[in-house]
Amino acid sequence: MKVKLEDVCKRGSSNLKQSDIIGKMGEYPVFGASGHIGNIDFYHQEQSYVAVVKDGAGIGRTNLYPAKSSVIGTMQYLLPKNNVLPEYLCYVVRYMHLEKYFSGATIPHIYFRDYKNEVFNLDSLDKQADVIEILKRVEVVISLRQQQLQKLDNLIKARFVEMFGNFDLSQMKEDWLKISEIGTVIGGSTPKTENSDYWDGEYRWITPAELEADSGYIYDSVRKLTKAGIDSCSLKELPVNTVLLTSRAPIGKVGLAGETLYCNQGFKNIICKDRVLPKYLYFLLLFNVDYLNLLGRGATFKEISKKIVENIKIPVPPLNLQEQFSAFVTQVDKSKSVIQKSLKETQLLFDSLMQEYFG
């Protein structure tokens, strides 16, 4: 039976701020865009519910949260009605990819009014339980593959420490060099979203929401620009092997350009000169996310400016050591690629099942 999203859930909102949680004690969890952020002595929701990130980085991200809990104001409650199981509703909303409804250039938003009419297939409650069980099994395999990848990432980190020692950028030393000395820092911008001449072209244009904490190589983007869109903002092209660094919402996600890219204003990217290899700088920044966040400025949303990034001082080991490390990473990446292939196949199975059940 085909129904609209609003037929199976009600919208709820929260006025909790992250600052309201700091220093508070209680037994009831509060969740934000990144998951559990603290506990308080009251709760908003009596029953299990689905929460969607509606503001800032990660918009559209969807999670199922337990009864007697709350979310902060950048999240939106989707409260299941009697005709849908909460877990089923969560899968449905994930299937819809609500991030496609984003609006706003500086801080992206999505609104229930824009996606409440999304249509999907609603099964009986018994069939819903069967669907949930099947999808959960596939997700277990996905999780195992992700854990294998994490172990290989830990191996790379251990090798980095073995070769280069302490990588803590807060322990600044006199012989370290500024990023402006070893690279060129380039930001980005967002063409006017209401101008259709600027969008749906052939040029890759990324946002911080498309990066994970450690994305590795980025080869594509969710949205693409036309040449007119690029020219409207005088955007500068990011060549292959540019070190991608998010500078706000949030600070400190890193990646490497696997293809030529453009980006929005949420980045301060680094094109390396001869003295530093991109893979070395990528991992150095990856291991210093906390330090990068300490450099953030701003009352509402912290940001690191181009000047701040240029003035970050980093250790620059001999190029031959960087090359050895880069070669080691390349070998580990071969093992990772096998696992990633399996992960991709399992993810495709998951996606096809989602299409079969909800499409």
Side-chain angles (χ1 to χ4, degrees), residues 13 85 104 149 155 157 184 237 258-259 261 298 302 311 347:
S13 60
L85 298 175
L149 291 173
L155 180 63
K157 185 172 184 178
T184 303
E237 184 182 81
E259 298 284 354
L261 303 168
K302 289 189 179 297
N311 285 323
Q347 185 65 56

Side-chain angles (χ1 to χ4, degrees), residues 39-52:
N39 285 56
I40 52 179
D41 58 3
F42 64 91
Y43 57 84
H44 282 172
Q45 302 302 333
E46 182 71 37
Q47 303 298 327
S48 180
Y49 58 90
V50 173
V52 178

Side-chain angles (χ1 to χ4, degrees), residues 233-303:
C233 296
S234 300
L235 285 168
K236 294 182 179 179
E237 184 182 81
L238 305 173
V240 173
N241 279 323
T242 298
V243 179
L244 309 172
L245 173 64
T246 63
S247 55
R248 67 180 182 189
I251 296 169
K253 288 183 178 180
V254 291
L256 287 164
E259 298 284 354
T260 55
L261 303 168
Y262 296 87
C263 69
N264 78 350
Q265 59 276 15
F267 291 87
K268 298 295 180 290
N269 308 301
I270 305 157
I271 301 175
C272 294
K273 298 177 183 177
D274 293 341
R275 294 191 64 178
V276 169
L277 296 182
K279 281 186 181 178
Y280 167 77
L281 182 58
Y282 166 84
F283 283 102
L284 182 64
L285 296 176
L286 175 63
F287 301 150
N288 280 277
V289 173
D290 291 341
Y291 172 72
L292 294 171
N293 274 273
L294 289 175
L295 300 177
R297 301 290 182 267
T300 306
F301 285 93
K302 289 189 179 297
E303 180 175 8

Side-chain angles (χ1 to χ4, degrees), residues 24 111 166 173 183 190:
K24 298 295 175 64
Y111 300 97
N166 182 14
K173 297 182 180 179
T190 301

Side-chain angles (χ1 to χ4, degrees), residues 300-319:
T300 306
F301 285 93
K302 289 189 179 297
E303 180 175 8
I304 49 175
S305 67
K306 178 180 179 181
K307 184 176 181 180
I308 288 174
V309 174
E310 288 177 333
N311 285 323
I312 294 172
K313 297 191 76 173
I314 67 167
V316 180
L319 198 57

